Amino acid sequence: MSETPAIFTQNLGRVYKLRGPKKKGDPKTIVALTDINLTVARGELFGLLGPNGAGKTTLIKILTTLLLPTTGTARVLGWDVVHQAQEIRRRISMVSGGETSGYGLLTVEENLWMFARFYGLDSTIARQRIGEMLEVVGLADRRRSKISDLSTGLRQKMNFIRGFITDPDVVFLDEPTLGLDVTAARQVREFVREWMQAHPDRTVLLTTHYMAEADELCDRLAIIDKGRLLALDTPTHLKQRLRREAVFTLRVAPLGRRPLRREDMLEAVPGVRQVTVAEQDGATEIKLILDSEDALAGVLDHIHRRGSGLIALEKREPTLEDVFIDLVGRGLDVDTSVRAEEGD
Amino acid sequence: MATERVAKATGVRLFWATMWARAYPRMVGTFRERSWLFFETLLPVLAVSGYVFIYRAIQAPPAYTGFAVLGGAMTAFWLNVLWSMASQLYWDKDQGNLEIYVLAPGPLMAVLLGMAVGGMVMTGTRAAAILVICSWLFDVSYQVAQPLWLVAAFVLTMAALYGMGMLFASVFLVSGREAWHLSNLLQEPIYLVSGFYFPVKALGFWVATFASIIPLTLGLDAMRQLIFAGDSGLGFLPVPVELAVQLVLAVVFITAAYFALAKLEQIGREQGRLIERRR
Ligand SMILES: Nc1ncnc2c1ncn2[C@@H]1O[C@H](COP(=O)(O)OP(=O)(O)O)[C@@H](O)[C@H]1O
Ligand SMILES: [Mg+2]
């Protein structure tokens, strides 16, 4: 039994058909996932890192049986997501960040109790577990508050622990810290880590577009972009891929307009692999991934030729963001979702 | 290393737990939302009063007063079915609850039944309040000949009515925003066609027969015959016939609701409709 992986997918794909009236030329389908092959062992804290629109939620919804794949197969704890949904549902839970679920009229405790009963938990045991977990996340003093009186952050925390009250084998967390303040987000990460330590045979799959979160929390991680899985490894190994290359951050006087011709751009300087440029407080910040340090001279030369000058230069340890940039040529903060025209 | 597991019920016990868990918010809602209680009682009382004054002005048979009072009390259930059953899954989806329902091992049918049971309990308090207030205001006297039949009539009416609500819940969800329009559209005409404020017989045989599809029509008619035994001449069909029809309606609606839910889940999973959000 324990050999069956927690999660297994083979050539998994999902295409959405767009419904509703469309203008001529609008796409009729959106390819949200393509050929995802993934195996997550039991006991892993696994991360899916990718920008908005990468397909993270789609993958989670397929694994939690809320959405059917259009191609390929997926298994959770050995059960098929299409035909054995009921077996899976008994053993998993899912929470999405920014969730607004629950009934405003009920208290925190009552909402959680209701959801726990949907999983067949004994009423007394449910109450006891709810009490304990509210304590852990610092919500115990609000247990009797109606959730309509709660801030969105607290409400999100309540929904977050909903995912653990039912004692699941696999927990799916879709951007669990989305919109939370720094302290609350830290508490949430802390909770996940401690829960995994206390339950080494359970599995967590979480998605995030915060690279620091993925780096800090996950045992292994898949980087996905535009529905494709680009890399899959431990955070350390992923970053080591860039060890031989050189990662720099430069602050320079404003660079001015982007040159029109490709050969005049910074990207065209020999040895430059990836460039991201951001304007910041009257200066330009350039993040560079170079084939080697030798390319730096050419970069500085280029900057001078564009009438700018160096303010600061820092050689950095590569981050996951750099790994992502290296893979796809843009940062994680770019929203890549395809938006369908609203039907009405 | 295996960690200890929390026991979870399955099968019938899970169904039962799910049903009462879903009924719970509605039942406590009865007491937590006192302002609703006020409006949901006051407005029907005003509507009933309107009819009673008209009946008195046109010197309609005195039995009509009692008919309007009973009908007014039953409108509470109709409104509850329309607004809190038929449209409920639609709101639940918007709120993010539908996903949780589908995801949970507790059957969706139990969730729907829980909504119905909770709704009946909550609305029962409103209906009782309307009945008591109006009976006192207009001095209605009751003459119940066969209490067991009356109980049967009420139970069957509720089963058929809420069964319809359960069916509509799936239908409205799939039809999306139109659900709201449909609710609006249905509310007033049904008052008329179902004979909430007058005996449905007055509409003539064909209209009354057609209106019998709506579970309240015959249920209300049967209850009137049973509660105001002295005026049974105003009944549309014999009580046993009406109750038999109610039974058939209940079975048909609840069975249809079951299949509609299964269908809903299937197309939801295929088309991604369970997960989409308005952005
Ligand atoms: N229900 C849906 N119908 C149509 N397109 C969708 C739906 N859900 C997501 N998409 C599209 O699929 C792509 C992947 O979205 P999603 O899985 O939500 O990505 P992520 O969670 O990584 O932000 C996006 O282009 C998005 O617009
Ligand atoms: Mg997402």
Side-chain angles (χ1 to χ4, degrees):
Chain A
M1 188 64 187
S2 58
E3 312 82 87
T4 27
I7 295 164
F8 171 80
T9 73
Q10 194 167 38
N11 303 334
L12 191 71
R14 171 73 208 197
V15 176
Y16 290 107
K17 278 202 179 64
L18 295 177
R19 292 175 293 118
K22 281 180 281 288
K23 288 198 285 284
K24 260 225 302 256
D26 280 353
K28 289 198 179 56
T29 58
I30 291 178
V31 181
L33 286 178
T34 313
D35 266 343
I36 301 289
N37 293 296
L38 196 66
T39 306
V40 178
R42 293 182 193 222
E44 270 196 289
L45 208 174
F46 192 91
L48 283 175
L49 178 66
N52 277 332
K56 305 181 296 295
T57 300
T58 302
L59 180 52
I60 280 212
K61 300 284 149 117
I62 291 175
L63 295 174
T64 54
T65 79
L66 289 174
L67 184 68
L68 297 179
T70 40
T71 51
T73 54
R75 292 180 169 272
V76 173
L77 299 163
W79 309 101
D80 182 76
V81 293
V82 179
H83 304 291
Q84 295 169 311
Q86 201 54 26
E87 296 293 341
I88 295 174
R89 290 174 186 176
R90 289 171 49 194
R91 295 171 172 89
I92 64 165
S93 69
M94 180 193 63
V95 182
S96 315
E99 216 180 277
T100 51
S101 60
Y103 292 106
L105 210 61
L106 297 187
T107 64
V108 169
E109 204 171 45
E110 288 170 330
N111 263 297
L112 291 170
W113 172 86
M114 179 179 81
F115 290 126
R117 293 290 278 163
F118 292 166
Y119 284 77
L121 257 70
D122 175 78
S123 208
T124 319
I125 293 176
R127 281 206 198 86
Q128 181 196 333
R129 288 178 65 83
I130 290 163
E132 285 164 13
M133 291 204 183
L134 287 176
E135 198 76 54
V136 174
V137 296
L139 258 178
D141 55 330
R142 303 303 299 270
R143 62 197 291 173
R144 300 247 151 79
S145 305
K146 280 191 205 170
I147 64 166
S148 53
D149 299 337
L150 252 47
S151 69
T152 43
L154 291 183
R155 209 163 154 164
Q156 192 166 332
K157 250 193 199 171
M158 173 196 86
N159 278 316
F160 171 75
I161 67 166
R162 189 195 73 232
F164 295 87
I165 287 192
T166 54
D167 192 37
D169 286 13
V170 187
V171 183
F172 294 89
L173 301 172
D174 194 5
E175 314 227 16
T177 58
L178 188 75
L180 288 181
D181 64 49
V182 183
T183 323
R186 193 183 322 116
Q187 276 177 326
V188 160
R189 288 195 290 268
E190 199 57 40
F191 185 96
V192 174
R193 224 192 328 260
E194 279 170 15
W195 188 80
M196 284 302 284
Q197 262 155 25
H199 303 82
D201 54 342
R202 314 298 171 90
T203 311
V204 170
L205 183 140
L206 76 84
T207 76
T208 179
H209 67 276
Y210 305 122
M211 56 99 189
E213 183 165 291
D215 199 353
E216 178 192 332
L217 213 51
C218 300
D219 300 327
R220 271 198 322 148
L221 130 90
I223 294 182
I224 71 171
D225 185 53
K226 295 191 171 159
R228 287 177 187 277
L229 205 156
L230 302 179
L232 196 164
D233 215 328
T234 62
T236 316
H237 281 152
L238 284 168
K239 284 182 288 186
Q240 269 170 7
R241 293 152 56 121
L242 289 182
R243 205 31 75 65
R244 279 181 297 114
E245 291 92 39
V247 182
F248 289 94
T249 304
L250 276 63
R251 270 177 85 76
V252 300
L255 263 186
R257 280 189 302 126
R258 197 172 156 80
L260 291 172
R261 294 186 311 167
R262 170 105 194 139
E263 57 263 40
D264 295 337
M265 294 180 187
L266 191 48
E267 285 89 330
V269 175
V272 173
R273 292 251 305 250
Q274 295 291 356
V275 184
T276 53
V277 177
E279 299 299 326
Q280 224 178 39
D281 317 325
T284 301
E285 191 180 83
I286 306 174
K287 288 184 178 171
L288 285 176
I289 301 175
L290 307 177
D291 284 336
S292 74
E293 272 185 42
D294 305 341
L296 199 56
V299 170
L300 294 177
D301 199 43
H302 173 96
I303 287 164
H304 281 123
R305 267 192 284 116
R306 284 183 51 188
S308 172
L310 187 66
I311 301 172
L313 182 150
E314 183 197 4
K315 181 168 185 199
R316 294 185 293 113
E317 277 299 302
T319 65
L320 286 176
E321 175 105 38
D322 299 318
V323 176
F324 186 83
I325 292 170
D326 190 44
L327 283 166
V328 304
R330 63 182 141 68
L332 270 166
D333 48 0
V334 180
D335 188 338
T336 57
S337 17
V338 185
R339 284 223 171 137
E341 289 297 320
E342 281 279 295
D344 40 16
Chain B
M1 187 179 92
T3 43
E4 201 180 317
R5 306 277 152 153
V6 174
K8 298 177 199 173
T10 54
V12 179
R13 294 183 53 193
L14 176 60
F15 191 100
W16 191 249
T18 304
M19 187 180 96
W20 287 106
R22 183 58 190 88
Y24 181 78
R26 300 211 153 172
M27 299 200 293
V28 298
T30 313
F31 308 105
R32 290 205 187 146
E33 286 292 333
R34 302 229 168 80
S35 58
W36 293 357
L37 183 59
F38 179 72
F39 284 111
E40 287 173 8
T41 307
L42 185 70
L43 295 179
V45 167
L46 288 177
V48 171
S49 308
Y51 277 93
V52 170
F53 290 132
I54 292 169
Y55 289 152
R56 288 186 177 166
I58 63 168
Q59 291 169 352
Y64 272 54
T65 301
F67 280 27
V69 169
L70 187 62
M74 296 301 282
T75 54
F77 290 106
W78 174 246
L79 289 179
N80 182 246
V81 162
L82 218 48
W83 293 110
S84 303
M85 287 293 300
S87 321
Q88 185 65 35
L89 289 184
Y90 177 73
W91 303 130
D92 272 328
K93 175 175 160 182
D94 238 37
Q95 195 74 16
N97 295 323
L98 183 65
E99 265 188 26
I100 301 178
Y101 292 155
V102 177
L103 200 68
L108 270 181
M109 194 64 183
V111 171
L112 267 191
L113 267 177
M115 264 160 53
V117 169
M120 276 183 232
V121 171
M122 176 176 77
T123 311
T125 59
R126 272 75 165 158
I130 297 167
L131 204 61
V132 169
I133 293 170
C134 288
S135 302
W136 170 75
L137 275 180
F138 306 117
D139 197 20
V140 183
S141 59
Y142 299 92
Q143 193 188 336
V144 180
Q146 295 151 303
L148 279 182
W149 277 91
L150 181 60
V151 171
F154 181 73
V155 169
L156 284 175
T157 305
M158 287 296 114
L161 181 63
Y162 279 85
M164 186 190 76
M166 287 164 65
L167 172 62
F168 278 17
S170 307
V171 175
F172 276 32
L173 177 61
V174 175
S175 66
R177 197 165 291 186
E178 274 70 60
W180 190 79
H181 298 302
L182 199 59
S183 273
N184 254 337
L185 212 65
L186 284 177
Q187 184 171 326
E188 294 295 328
I190 296 297
Y191 280 170
L192 192 67
V193 176
S194 269
F196 273 108
Y197 296 110
F198 51 82
V200 69
K201 193 181 183 180
L203 293 170
F205 181 79
W206 287 111
V207 177
T209 303
F210 191 68
S212 302
I213 300 259
I214 294 142
L216 266 177
T217 311
L218 290 187
L220 191 55
D221 199 64
M223 284 164 65
R224 280 172 175 154
Q225 296 189 50
L226 291 162
I227 290 184
F228 306 104
D231 306 285
S232 50
L234 292 169
F236 173 47
L237 298 170
V239 171
V241 176
E242 294 189 329
L243 295 197
V245 175
Q246 291 295 88
L247 179 64
V248 171
L249 285 179
V251 171
V252 168
F253 279 133
I254 293 173
T255 314
Y258 175 82
F259 286 107
L261 266 185
K263 187 77 193 161
L264 166 81
E265 191 183 332
Q266 184 209 330
I267 60 174
R269 289 173 77 202
E270 270 166 19
Q271 300 180 0
R273 289 224 213 165
L274 295 172
I275 62 165
E276 72 195 346
R277 293 274 168 76
R278 282 163 205 287
R279 300 184 239 217

